[in-house]
Amino acid sequence: MENSTYQLIEDCNATNKALYKFYAAVMIVIFILALPLNASVLHLFIFKLKFWKSNSNNIFLFNLVLADILLLFCLPIKAYNFIQGERRSENDVVCKAMLFMLFLNRGASIAFLTVTSIDRYFNVVHPGRKNLLRALKKSPQISVLIWLLLLPLTIPTMLKTFECCNSHKTTQDDTLVKDVVDSLREVVFFTQIVIPFVILVYCTVHIVNRLRKKTVGDRTKLRRAVFLVTTVMVVFSICFLPCALARMVLLITRIENMSEPAQDKAAVAFDGLMVLSYMDCLLDPLVYCFCSTKFKALYLTNYFPFLVKDAQVPTESSTGNMSHPTSHPTCNNVI
C-alpha cells in the first residue's frame, strides 16, 4: 500500500480524491465570482478612465487586473484536473502551458502590487523628491519591462517535476545538475514571494508612520489612507505567505527523506494553499476600490446605480484624473 501511494505521488495523482474535488470546487467559486468582478474593473480602466492618458499609477493597476484575469482562465483547467484525480494535466504541452500562465501572471500580480506600494511610499514619505519610478510611470514602458523581466523566471518553474512538488526528492537518478536545477527552481519560487513581502513591509510601515505623524487634515481621511496602505499587506499575507510556508515544510520533508505519508500530507497541504493563493484575483479589486472614493462611486454608478442615492455620477472628464480628486488629497497622495 505504501508503494502504491509512493507511485501515485510520483505520477502526480491525488491520493485524497475527495479533498481535491473540494479544492476544485473552491477554484470554480473563485472563478465565478472573480471573472465578472475583474472584467468590470477592466472595462472601467479602458472605457471610463482611459488609463493610458493618466499620469497616475492607473497604468500599474490596469496591469494588475489584466494579470488577474489571465490567471483566472487557468482555474477551470486546474479544477478539471483535480476533479479527475490529477494534480496536473497528463498532457505535457498543456501542463507546461498552464505552469507558464500560472507563474507569469501570479508573478505579475505580485510585481504590480509591489510597484504600486513603492510608488505610494515615495508619494507619502518623500513627496518632494524626484525618483525614477515617478518619471517612468507616466508611460507604459515600465509595465512592459516588468512583463518582460518576468518571462525568464518562468523557465525554471516549467521543468517537469515542479508542479508535483518533487524537488530535492531522493531518487536513484540524483545528479549534481538535478540538484542545481531543483535549487534554482526553489530560489525563483521563494524570491518571488519573500523579496516583495519585505519591500511591502518596509513601505507600509513607513507610510503608516508618516500618516500618523501628520497633524494637518481630516483625521477620517487619514485613517482611510492608513487602511488603504495596509490592504495590500493583508491581501499579500492571506494569499501568498501561507503557500510559501507550506512549500518550505514540503521541502523539509523531501530533504530529510521523511516517510511517504508525511510527504504526501505536505504535498496535499501545499496544493490546498496554492488554491488559496488564487483568492488574490478576488481580493485585488479591494485595492482599486480603496484607491479613491471616486473610483468606488464610478463603479457603483455604472454597475449598481440602485445603491447610489443622490450621488453625482462621475464624468469621463473627471475620471481621467480620478487618482487625484481634490476632495480627498491625503488618500490620493498615497495612491
Side-chain angles (χ1 to χ4, degrees):
M1 182 66 181
E2 193 167 308
N3 290 332
S4 176
T5 300
Y6 173 81
Q7 188 61 42
L8 286 173
I9 297 171
E10 289 299 300
D11 292 341
C12 297
N13 291 329
T15 54
N16 189 332
K17 295 185 184 300
L19 184 57
Y20 275 82
K21 287 181 179 178
F22 171 74
Y23 291 165
V26 172
M27 284 191 287
I28 291 171
V29 171
I30 292 174
F31 178 81
I32 292 173
L33 295 177
L35 184 61
L37 180 60
N38 282 275
S40 62
V41 172
L42 190 67
H43 173 266
L44 288 185
F45 274 119
I46 296 175
F47 296 103
K48 297 296 182 179
L49 299 178
K50 294 182 172 55
F51 70 93
W52 61 90
K53 295 182 179 180
S54 173
N55 290 333
S56 69
N57 66 346
N58 283 346
I59 294 177
F60 296 150
L61 293 177
F62 167 79
N63 281 275
L64 179 59
V65 69
L66 179 63
D68 286 344
I69 286 182
L70 291 175
L71 178 61
L72 281 173
F73 287 124
C74 300
L75 298 192
I77 301 174
K78 191 77 174 172
Y80 173 79
N81 292 332
F82 280 6
I83 291 172
Q84 297 299 312
E86 302 168 350
R87 298 175 61 208
R88 62 158 174 81
S89 174
E90 293 183 351
N91 185 298
D92 192 54
V93 175
V94 174
C95 178
K96 290 186 177 181
M98 281 284 294
L99 284 172
F100 175 79
M101 291 292 290
L102 287 170
F103 280 92
L104 175 65
N105 294 298
R106 197 179 71 135
S109 181
I110 293 173
F112 285 108
L113 278 174
T114 306
V115 171
T116 303
S117 295
I118 295 173
D119 182 59
R120 287 200 300 269
Y121 167 78
F122 280 110
N123 286 340
V124 174
V125 180
H126 305 291
R129 180 182 300 179
K130 293 183 179 180
N131 63 82
L132 182 62
L133 181 61
R134 184 173 298 174
L136 291 177
K137 74 174 184 176
K138 296 181 180 179
S139 65
Q141 278 81 351
I142 187 173
S143 297
V144 174
L145 180 62
I146 290 173
W147 283 100
L148 291 176
L149 290 176
L150 288 169
L151 286 174
L153 297 180
T154 64
I155 296 174
T157 59
M158 287 190 294
L159 297 178
K160 185 177 180 181
T161 60
F162 180 83
E163 179 70 357
C164 297
C165 312
N166 295 326
S167 284
H168 293 295
K169 188 170 183 64
T170 303
T171 66
Q172 295 179 349
D173 300 325
D174 281 350
T175 64
L176 178 61
V177 173
K178 179 181 180 298
D179 287 340
V180 171
V181 171
D182 283 351
S183 298
L184 177 62
R185 186 166 48 227
E186 299 304 331
V187 167
V188 170
F189 180 85
F190 284 107
T191 54
Q192 195 180 54
I193 295 176
V194 174
I195 292 179
F197 180 71
V198 172
I199 295 173
L200 287 173
V201 170
Y202 178 86
C203 292
T204 301
V205 168
H206 281 76
I207 289 171
V208 170
N209 288 338
R210 175 69 179 88
L211 293 175
R212 284 177 176 173
K213 292 177 182 178
K214 193 175 181 66
T215 57
V216 179
D218 191 327
R219 298 302 301 172
T220 301
K221 296 175 186 176
L222 293 176
R223 283 194 296 269
R224 185 186 299 124
V226 172
F227 183 67
L228 166 64
V229 297
T230 57
T231 300
V232 174
M233 276 293 301
V234 171
V235 170
F236 199 94
S237 299
I238 291 175
C239 296
F240 303 121
L241 287 185
C243 68
L245 293 175
R247 183 71 185 175
M248 190 179 300
V249 171
L250 177 57
L251 286 178
I252 292 173
T253 65
R254 300 296 193 196
I255 295 172
E256 296 295 327
N257 198 24
M258 295 183 182
S259 65
E260 290 301 328
Q263 294 184 34
D264 182 49
K265 289 177 181 178
V268 170
F270 172 72
D271 285 341
L273 290 173
M274 282 295 291
V275 172
L276 178 65
S277 74
Y278 305 142
M279 283 287 294
D280 174 55
C281 300
L282 199 55
L283 297 178
D284 277 346
L286 292 176
V287 177
Y288 320 139
C289 289
F290 291 121
C291 281
S292 167
T293 53
K294 187 168 288 188
F295 182 92
K296 181 179 178 181
L298 180 68
Y299 190 91
L300 291 177
T301 52
N302 275 270
Y303 301 113
F304 302 99
F306 56 89
L307 297 178
V308 181
K309 296 181 180 180
D310 301 326
Q312 183 179 358
V313 179
T315 61
E316 288 195 21
S317 61
S318 64
T319 57
N321 197 27
M322 186 194 69
S323 292
H324 301 279
T326 56
S327 60
H328 294 82
T330 303
C331 182
N332 291 290
N333 284 337
V334 176
I335 296 300

